[in-house]
Amino acid sequence: MLTSEIAACCKELRLSRNIVEMSGKIQADNHQEYLLKLLKSEIIHREKTRNAKLLRKAGFYTIKTFESFRFDEVTLPGDITPEYLKECEFVKNKTNIVMYGNVGTGKTHLSIALGVEACKRGYEVRFFRTSALINKLAEEKRAGTLSSFLKKLNKAELLICDEWRYVPLDRIGAQLLFEVISERYENKAVIINTNIEFSRWVNIFYDEQMTGAIVVRILHHCHLLLFFGQSNRMRESRLNT
């Protein structure tokens, strides 16, 4: 009877069933200590629930962490440390990151690890392969729902564009991607993973003026991370032979 009454109160106060489950498990020396432990358990439960929701919403096709990542094969700017990245200060400062280097050198791994950490810190993150993002933008435009999608996309404090390379765009695709980047300029952080140097981005957009505008917006507040190590895929394939 008491349990059902507690559940009813939780529902009225919009508390989770975690309160019901923990109410019979917590041990304390007095009522105040008991209440404090119960409330703390609710806070922890809500944080875990929110983090799980943010991870699902982010769209990662796999989960990567810092545990298996080697920073010794990445050249960081002089004033940037691995700890600065792990603490997601760049998201807080609304600063972009461009990860440049050969295929298979860890750009996607690091960007996902940063995205996962950002989710754990309560930031909303969206992850896309660049070609998939462009296709999604085109679909939303055809359906007449582009404005709504862009509003949802811009709510994310961090947008990760993976595989930003030879994805030849038609003019509409280029304009849509330009709109996404422009909306986030000095407002929200972007991570771009690419193996194409900036001077060759015109081969993606086929428009020098638009390419220049995108590069300026991305680099204005940006950390450039260089990946010149051996391909992880090649290294793993050799280990398995």
Side-chain angles (χ1 to χ4, degrees):
M1 181 65 180
L2 183 59
T3 299
S4 62
E5 290 181 0
I6 294 174
C9 290
C10 288
K11 183 177 181 180
E12 182 69 23
L13 295 172
R14 297 183 178 179
L15 299 174
S16 71
R17 287 194 59 83
N18 170 71
I19 292 288
V20 180
E21 296 172 1
M22 296 300 295
S23 63
K25 299 179 180 179
I26 291 177
Q27 296 181 351
D29 295 331
N30 53 61
H31 295 308
Q32 286 186 327
E33 183 183 357
Y34 176 84
L35 179 60
L36 178 60
K37 288 184 177 181
L38 190 61
L39 292 175
K40 283 185 175 180
S41 74
E42 176 67 5
I43 291 173
I44 294 172
H45 175 77
R46 289 190 175 192
E47 287 179 349
K48 288 182 178 179
T49 300
R50 174 173 168 75
N51 290 344
K53 182 178 179 180
L54 288 172
L55 283 171
R56 288 194 302 270
K57 190 175 182 180
F60 302 119
Y61 60 84
T62 186
I63 298 297
K64 298 289 187 180
T65 66
F66 296 113
E67 293 181 2
S68 57
F69 184 81
R70 297 195 301 272
F71 274 97
D72 58 343
E73 294 188 355
V74 183
T75 302
L76 303 178
D79 56 341
I80 300 302
T81 64
E83 288 68 30
Y84 168 88
L85 296 175
K86 292 178 180 180
E87 291 171 3
C88 298
E89 287 295 318
F90 68 97
V91 180
K92 179 180 177 181
N93 297 333
K94 302 172 184 178
T95 302
N96 301 325
I97 290 179
V98 173
M99 301 188 187
Y100 170 75
N102 294 328
V103 174
T105 51
K107 300 185 296 297
T108 298
H109 185 146
L110 179 57
S111 66
I112 292 178
L114 291 173
V116 169
E117 186 61 33
C119 288
K120 291 180 179 178
R121 293 173 182 268
Y123 292 113
E124 186 171 333
V125 179
R126 297 299 298 274
F127 176 94
F128 290 93
R129 289 186 172 96
T130 304
S131 58
L133 174 58
I134 295 165
N135 291 336
K136 178 65 174 175
L137 291 167
E139 290 173 6
E140 296 289 345
K141 183 176 178 63
R142 287 193 296 269
T145 54
L146 179 61
S147 178
S148 176
F149 175 72
L150 289 175
K151 287 180 181 179
K152 292 179 181 178
L153 189 63
N154 201 43
K155 286 182 180 179
E157 285 94 345
L158 175 61
L159 171 65
I160 303 174
C161 295
D162 193 31
E163 298 180 358
W164 180 289
R165 50 192 189 218
Y166 283 119
V167 185
L169 309 181
D170 56 26
R171 181 164 294 276
I172 293 178
Q175 289 173 344
L176 292 174
L177 187 56
F178 176 75
E179 186 173 349
V180 169
I181 298 300
S182 295
E183 282 293 318
R184 303 186 67 82
Y185 178 56
E186 295 190 316
N187 184 37
K188 303 287 179 62
V190 178
I191 292 178
I192 291 177
N193 302 329
T194 184
N195 63 343
I196 307 296
E197 58 265 32
F198 300 119
S199 62
R200 294 168 61 196
W201 281 18
V202 69
N203 294 325
I204 301 175
F205 296 97
Y206 295 110
D207 185 310
E208 291 186 4
Q209 186 174 0
M210 188 179 298
T211 301
I214 288 178
V215 171
V216 167
R217 283 164 172 75
I218 291 173
L219 295 185
H220 187 200
H221 301 289
C222 180
H223 302 310
L224 178 61
L225 279 55
L226 303 178
F227 291 68
F228 290 126
Q230 181 185 7
S231 169
N232 293 327
R233 298 186 186 99
M234 289 295 293
R235 183 188 292 111
E236 290 171 2
S237 67
R238 289 173 182 173
L239 288 174
N240 292 328
T241 57

